[in-house]
């Protein structure tokens, strides 16, 4: 069986870490990334870590002809892992059509190629955002999808449902939907990591950018929630653990171990941690004090969510190897490393234009 995997969004945060994990586990990878929200510097990092040249197609998946040409040029692909998508919650609220167009059109084109070229296995990047504000935590894969909190969240819900329908109609296809919780941290080498566009919205890059002085102070969005210290609860999952879940998901599909041709897995640490606990973990691990203040709640924030990850552990044999201290120390190492990178390698193209 071919071990050739096509990864869309290979220059992205989770995509680049997954390329490394796939290569380390014997897969041959092909990346597709138009670098609309990422940089080629990330693939160079992957090459340094793995010692392998990465074949990348700088193609916009919304262009069907160019997407199809990649599949035509690369016969016998064993599986597709589809990361490429926009993911900024706030931007999606302001520009929903941009999100509907980019995230859905690209997914449809990828599925059209999967069907035409008879690709047997498909792994999709989904998110715990599909649970909305859950009635009970931790959430299991059976927890119902609730009203999406943003157009971005809606694209993940629609994506899941489109793949479910597609798999129902294509019995030869095997698909897995991986619902990520809060990915954070960086590869231990600090050669790849998260590169936010403009001012970061996610907690971990806000923490590291505050620590390094790019951001003057961190605002904790609310300390009056009904949680143990009043701040929101999240499930922080190290990006390398998350990356490895993709390799295991693909192994599972290729080995034909699945019961159903479209299965769902939560990929989270299984532990809830508050925003204030994350801040304190960063300070304790790095010895760097953070300048932070308590501010108002952020509209649209879920109060508390974390994963029941029993299914991924039992069925995929996956288990997180990194804790919050590894997350914070690796994210900090990465933040310090990118200070010294040449500008063209670490600034997303959007800023360069
Ligand atoms: C959101 C999405 C998630 C998506 C992720 C990555 C929802 C409900 N969640 O996660 O699906 O995968 O973004 O883009 O759509 N915080 C602060 N101060 C800050 C930044 C964050 O206090 O400066 C707090 C937030 O209020 C929240 C926690 O930190 O409680 C995590 O926030 P964030 O990193 O933005 O991720 P989510 O909103 O959980």
């Amino acid at each position: 069986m071919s071990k050739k995997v096509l990864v869309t969004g290979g220059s992205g945060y989770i995509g680049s870490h997954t390329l490394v994990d796939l290569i380390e586990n014997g897969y041959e990878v092909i990346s597709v990334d138009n670098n609309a929200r990422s940089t080629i510097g990330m693939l160079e990092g992957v090459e340094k870590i793995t010692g392998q040249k990465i074949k990348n197609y700088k193609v916009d998946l919304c262009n069907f002809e160019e997407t199809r040409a990649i599949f035509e040029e690369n016969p016998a692909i064993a599986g597709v892992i589809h990361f490429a998508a926009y993911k900024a919650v706030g931007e999606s609220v302001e520009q929903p059509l941009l999100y509907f167009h980019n995230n859905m059109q690209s997914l449809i084109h990828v599925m059209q190629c999967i069907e035409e070229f008879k690709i047997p296995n498909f792994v999709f990047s989904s998110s715990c955002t599909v649970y909305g504000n859950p009635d009970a935590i931790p959430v299991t894969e059976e927890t119902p999808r609730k009203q999406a909190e943003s157009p971005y969240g809606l694209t993940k819900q629609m994506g899941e449902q489109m793949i479910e329908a597609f798999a129902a109609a294509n019995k030869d296809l095997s698909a897995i939907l991986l619902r990520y919780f809060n990915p954070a941290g960086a590869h231990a080498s600090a050669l790849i990591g998260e590169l936010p566009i403009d001012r970061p919205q996610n907690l971990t890059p806000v923490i590291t950018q505050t620590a390094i002085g790019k951001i003057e102070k961190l605002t904790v969005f609310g300390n009056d929630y009904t949680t143990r210290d009043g701040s929101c609860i999240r499930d922080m999952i190290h990006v390398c653990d998350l990356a490895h879940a993709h390799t295991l998901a693909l192994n599972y599909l290729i080995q034909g171990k699945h019961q159903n041709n479209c299965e769902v897995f939560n990929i989270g640490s299984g532990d809830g941690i508050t925003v204030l606990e994350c801040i304190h973990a960063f300070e304790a691990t790095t010895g760097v004090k953070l300048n932070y203040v308590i501010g108002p709640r952020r509209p649209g924030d879920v109060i508390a969510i974390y994963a029941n990850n029993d299914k991924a552990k039992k069925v995929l044999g996956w288990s997180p190897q990194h804790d919050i201290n590894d997350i914070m120390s690796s994210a900090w190492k990465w933040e310090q490393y990118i200070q010294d990178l040449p500008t063209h390698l670490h600034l997303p193209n959007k800023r360069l234009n």
Side-chain angles (χ1 to χ4, degrees), residues 67-78:
T67 303
R68 190 184 173 282
I70 301 170
F71 284 81
E72 204 159 33
E73 250 179 67
N74 293 279
I77 291 171

Side-chain angles (χ1 to χ4, degrees), residues 78-292:
V80 173
I81 305 182
H82 182 50
F83 292 106
Y86 292 164
K87 60 147 204 164
V89 175
E91 181 185 54
S92 80
V93 175
E94 284 159 21
Q95 299 184 66
L97 292 183
L98 177 72
Y99 275 67
F100 298 150
H101 174 72
N102 184 70
N103 292 6
M104 306 330 294
Q105 185 76 278
S106 53
L107 173 60
I108 292 168
H109 289 167
V110 167
M111 290 195 291
Q112 283 177 310
C113 293
I114 285 176
E115 189 169 63
E116 180 182 344
F117 293 90
K118 301 189 173 26
I119 311 293
N121 302 302
F122 184 36
V123 179
F124 176 65
S125 284
S126 189
S127 165
C128 69
T129 196
V130 301
Y131 296 116
N133 224 328
D135 294 331
I137 46 175
V139 290
T140 72
E141 289 79 359
E142 274 67 53
T143 299
R145 286 184 283 233
K146 285 184 49 183
Q147 171 91 34
E149 298 283 334
S150 66
Y152 155 76
L154 190 53
T155 66
K156 291 297 176 192
Q157 291 187 337
M158 292 191 292
E160 285 197 353
Q161 291 174 64
M162 281 162 53
I163 295 166
E164 282 161 1
F166 179 57
N170 290 273
K171 289 296 176 201
D172 292 339
L173 173 73
S174 305
I176 282 186
L177 315 175
L178 294 181
R179 291 180 179 157
Y180 315 150
F181 283 70
N182 288 65
H187 191 267
S189 65
L191 291 167
I192 52 174
E194 186 170 9
L195 275 178
I197 296 181
D198 302 328
R199 194 189 155 99
Q201 306 298 321
N202 293 125
L203 181 61
T204 306
V206 171
I207 288 178
T208 57
Q209 290 200 12
T210 306
I212 212 147
K214 281 189 200 160
I215 295 177
E216 194 203 330
K217 62 173 182 278
L218 187 168
T219 302
V220 174
F221 298 136
N223 71 344
D224 57 353
Y225 287 104
T226 51
T227 59
R228 53 185 175 262
D229 62 19
S231 62
C232 290
I233 291 181
R234 291 292 182 275
D235 181 325
M236 308 296 280
I237 180 71
H238 195 292
V239 66
C240 293
D241 286 326
L242 179 54
H244 191 54
H246 294 79
T247 304
L248 294 178
L250 212 52
N251 290 347
Y252 172 78
L253 292 178
I254 289 174
Q255 290 159 10
K257 291 183 176 165
H258 48 289
Q259 305 294 311
N260 185 314
N261 81 328
C262 186
E263 295 186 10
V264 183
F265 294 92
N266 282 342
I267 305 295
S269 70
D271 286 325
I273 182 164
T274 72
V275 172
L276 287 167
E277 286 165 354
C278 288
I279 290 173
H280 298 143
F282 178 85
E283 293 182 329
T285 330
T286 63
V288 181
K289 280 269 157 228
L290 283 172
N291 182 16
Y292 71 90

